[in-house]
Amino acid sequence: KAGVTQTPRYLIKTRGQQVTLSCSPISGHRSVSWYQQTPGQGLQFLFEYFSETQRNKGNFPGRFSGRQFSNSRSEMNVSTLELGDSALYLCACRAGYGAGELFFGEGSRLTVL
Amino acid sequence: GENVEQHPSTLSVQEGDSAVIKCTYSDSASNYFPWYKQELGKRPQLIIDIRSNVGEKKDQRIAVTLNKTAKHFSLHITETQPEDSAVYFCAAETSGGGADGLTFGKGTHLIIQP
């Protein structure tokens, strides 16, 4: 079966711009989580969506937002980009909500100049 | 919220030796503890997980132990091989969904010396 697909894979933005990242989960997987990965901080939880509802949110500013569509596809948006937002953004899905194996996408590498 | 501490940040062992990575968690409500392996340039993948009603779980050369009283859990890799070189992440979560989702440690870079 197809894996988790993230687009775009690489992007470069400048400070102040906004960006939207997309994630298509494995078919039938209704939970989608987003993580920010940086060399010093590891995997930091952004938010988790299940059945189009945000169930959990990590400790990130309001510039980071997301949504989930009825087909379980998810997007995350970062507004007013800062240099510190440069990171690998990983999307992960699982069949249900709360516990269980996460299946990660390959990530979207964001560089903010 | 949940906080997961992971040690060491880097671990270098000789091929064939054992490696141990340790994690502690803060939220006593956490009851699901997975370990993920991320090879260079690749996505994290689950290698083993344990739930709080079990003290130990083994899968071939890897094992995980959990001490709920002390709130710590460990990954043990025996007879290490070159393909074990990677970054390993521990994580903790409340089954059924906690406010913090799945919280990861900062990772351990395991280096297998030939």
Side-chain angles (χ1 to χ4, degrees):
Chain A
K1 55 184 176 182
V4 182
T5 303
Q6 290 189 244
T7 57
R9 293 289 316 282
Y10 303 92
L11 63 166
I12 299 173
K13 295 285 187 178
T14 56
R15 280 185 304 171
Q17 289 187 309
Q18 66 93 27
V19 65
T20 299
L21 309 177
S22 179
C23 172
S24 293
I26 294 169
S27 178
H29 284 205
R30 297 166 58 195
S31 169
V32 175
S33 301
W34 289 89
Y35 288 86
Q36 181 193 67
Q37 185 171 29
T38 55
Q41 297 300 315
L43 292 160
Q44 291 188 285
F45 174 71
L46 281 155
F47 25 66
E48 179 175 13
Y49 287 86
F50 181 77
S51 295
E52 302 177 65
T53 302
Q54 187 181 92
R55 299 304 179 109
N56 305 304
K57 190 176 192 306
N59 190 25
F60 278 82
R63 300 185 297 108
F64 292 80
S65 63
R67 58 178 175 169
Q68 186 180 35
F69 302 95
S70 58
N71 62 357
S72 294
R73 188 177 72 86
S74 178
E75 291 181 346
M76 67 163 283
N77 183 275
V78 188
S79 62
T80 319
L81 284 167
E82 301 177 358
L83 296 178
D85 296 334
S86 294
L88 180 68
Y89 290 88
L90 288 163
C91 163
C93 68
R94 51 188 172 184
Y97 171 62
E101 181 176 2
L102 283 177
F103 295 88
F104 283 87
E106 292 185 287
S108 293
R109 172 78 61 186
L110 171 64
T111 301
V112 182
L113 302 176
Chain B
E2 175 64 277
N3 182 50
V4 178
E5 299 281 344
Q6 183 172 349
H7 299 281
S9 57
T10 304
L11 177 60
S12 181
V13 301
Q14 290 293 124
E15 183 178 348
D17 287 350
S18 295
V20 180
I21 302 170
K22 298 181 179 182
C23 291
T24 60
Y25 62 98
S26 61
D27 189 349
S28 57
S30 290
N31 55 11
Y32 175 64
F33 308 94
W35 287 85
Y36 284 79
K37 175 184 180 181
Q38 187 176 28
E39 297 178 17
L40 188 62
K42 297 191 176 181
R43 69 192 80 187
Q45 291 189 298
L46 180 72
I47 54 171
I48 195 167
D49 58 10
I50 191 168
R51 298 181 188 271
S52 60
N53 58 347
V54 176
E56 182 175 2
K57 184 177 180 180
K58 293 183 72 173
D59 183 4
Q60 298 181 16
R61 294 187 298 108
I62 61 173
V64 59
T65 58
L66 170 65
N67 183 327
K68 280 192 64 179
T69 303
K71 291 192 223 167
H72 67 71
F73 55 114
S74 301
L75 177 73
H76 304 252
I77 305 174
T78 59
E79 301 172 10
T80 53
Q81 300 169 5
E83 55 265 36
D84 294 330
S85 292
V87 178
Y88 292 80
F89 294 96
C90 63
E93 184 175 33
T94 302
S95 180
D100 301 320
L102 186 62
T103 303
F104 284 87
K106 287 186 166 56
T108 296
H109 185 193
L110 177 60
I111 301 166
I112 307 301
Q113 302 279 6

